[in-house]
Amino acid sequence: MAVTLEQARRVGYTCLKALLRFAFMVANNLVAIPSYVLYLIVLQPLRLLDSKSFWYIEGVLFKWLLAMVASWGWWAGYTVVEWGDDVKAVSEDEAMVLVNHQATGDVCTLMMCLQDKGTVVRQMMWLMDHIFKYTNFGIVSLIHGDFFIRQGRAHRDHQLVLLKEHLEKYYRSRNRKWIVLFPEGGFLRKRRETSQAFAKKNNLPFLKHVTLPRLGATQVILKTLVAPQENGTPAGGDAVIKESKSKGLQWVIDTTIAYPKGEPIDIQTWILGYRQPTVTHVHYRIFPVKDVPAEPEALTHWLYQRFIEKEDLLTHFYETGAFPPLQGQTKAISREMTLSNLWLVGIQSLAFLSGGMWYCIFQYFYHCLF
């Protein structure tokens, strides 16, 4: 079939735009990530004198880096609409966030939609596959204190021991509030067949849009971070509870990401922007930790129920284009998540100015020494 001039122009424009976006992303990484590392090296004396202030500053820089990643998608027209419970009500409390996993773009989507949730982004900890340690962002996650988990039955028990030690060492010493994990243990397309076979063997529901979650990391997090006494009141709802210095993990936020037509966005699309503008839909349900069972068998059943509910949510979304209303509502309410272009430009400008500053500093010392 012959290609028309208009089609050729469109393809050429898309390729040129992707190339320019990729060049910008590379330049962005070359100035922003080294600047983050160098700022924190210079601030090491502050870490010894006032650890709390050091990790506050690190958190601010970390949030800016995640905002830069969010900006790549935002400026390509990859926006987010949110549904369900309003998680801003618990943004100052400790929470575990359970997310379904379809593609690498899930992480970018979360980086975007959590930007306007108060201090969440700078005080969050991520659990991610160990392979991300070797990406360009790996050094940032290592410094921030994220945990890289190695998948596979042979590594499972040892990884859970390491996770417990990691949480005890870094979670509260760095004033972390939210911890994000993907309990499915991998992408939907890679785990679906195995999960369905396991479900059939154990008389569990047949799931198409999610897979059955794994218990290990969730159980370790709950055992390690939940305080002896729990509450079930959102931040601001109980003045007596707010006076408590350490309340432990208080909430589980069940987060469901849905892409139109079930076509997830991967990191390549997020960077190059060759897909047409797309709205990703994110649904939240908040559960008090006191309602989450501690016993392994009961916890497994509870966790399975969350993903069975995700299956129902996604089925409804793919059939209607919207999530169903919450219990007690007659109509589902959605909220369009927005980012300030001026703020994003300011952060990007600061990154490039920082890169220029560090370059000038190194040039100065180089000429002084040589």
Side-chain angles (χ1 to χ4, degrees), residues 127 149 156-157 159-161 163 181 183 213-223 299-300 303:
L127 264 67
I149 192 163
R156 191 170 301 162
D157 292 342
Q159 289 297 298
L160 295 178
V161 172
L163 172 59
L181 69 154
R214 294 171 176 172
L215 178 67
T218 303
Q219 187 176 31
V220 169
I221 291 168
L222 290 171
K223 281 187 175 182
L299 178 59
T300 299
L303 196 58

Side-chain angles (χ1 to χ4, degrees), residues 203-218:
N203 296 317
L204 294 168
F206 183 86
L207 306 177
K208 296 189 300 181
H209 307 306
V210 294
T211 65
L212 289 170
R214 294 171 176 172
L215 178 67
T218 303

Side-chain angles (χ1 to χ4, degrees), residues 39-161:
Y39 277 128
L40 295 182
I41 290 174
V42 170
L43 288 171
Q44 285 303 303
L46 177 63
R47 183 179 180 179
L48 297 174
L49 296 171
D50 187 352
S51 176
K52 185 176 180 180
S53 295
F54 174 85
W55 289 113
Y56 175 87
I57 295 170
E58 185 279 333
V60 172
L61 296 174
F62 184 78
K63 179 176 180 177
W64 289 354
L65 286 178
L66 267 58
M68 292 177 200
V69 177
S71 72
W72 305 339
W74 181 259
W75 288 333
Y78 304 147
T79 57
V80 172
V81 167
E82 299 177 308
W83 303 75
D85 294 326
D86 185 0
V87 296
K88 288 183 180 179
V90 297
S91 62
E92 297 303 314
D93 297 333
E94 291 187 24
M96 176 173 63
V97 184
L98 307 175
V99 192
N100 62 313
H101 208 9
Q102 301 174 69
T104 48
D106 298 341
V107 175
C108 301
T109 296
L110 290 173
M111 289 180 178
M112 175 186 286
C113 64
L114 296 179
Q115 283 291 324
D116 66 344
K117 307 299 187 293
T119 62
V120 164
V121 173
R122 66 178 178 84
Q123 292 182 289
M124 72 196 315
M125 179 181 285
W126 297 76
L127 264 67
M128 58 189 76
D129 192 279
H130 80 287
I131 196 68
F132 286 101
K133 184 189 298 185
Y134 308 105
T135 66
N136 59 320
F137 210 77
I139 183 64
V140 174
S141 291
L142 278 170
I143 293 172
H144 184 69
D146 296 329
F147 183 76
F148 300 94
I149 192 163
R150 186 181 293 272
Q151 302 293 343
R153 186 183 300 274
H155 307 285
R156 191 170 301 162
D157 292 342
H158 182 58
Q159 289 297 298
L160 295 178
V161 172

Side-chain angles (χ1 to χ4, degrees), residues 268-315:
Q268 297 94 324
T269 305
W270 194 270
I271 292 170
L272 300 177
Y274 49 76
R275 185 189 288 194
Q276 291 298 310
T278 301
V279 179
T280 301
H281 297 258
V282 181
H283 184 278
Y284 306 104
R285 284 194 68 196
I286 302 174
F287 297 89
V289 161
K290 67 181 181 65
D291 294 341
V292 180
E295 292 300 317
E297 186 175 344
L299 178 59
T300 299
H301 176 73
W302 186 89
L303 196 58
Y304 280 0
Q305 284 302 118
R306 302 290 73 78
F307 277 77
I308 292 169
E309 289 173 6
K310 285 180 184 291
E311 176 78 11
D312 294 338
L313 286 171
L314 290 168
T315 298

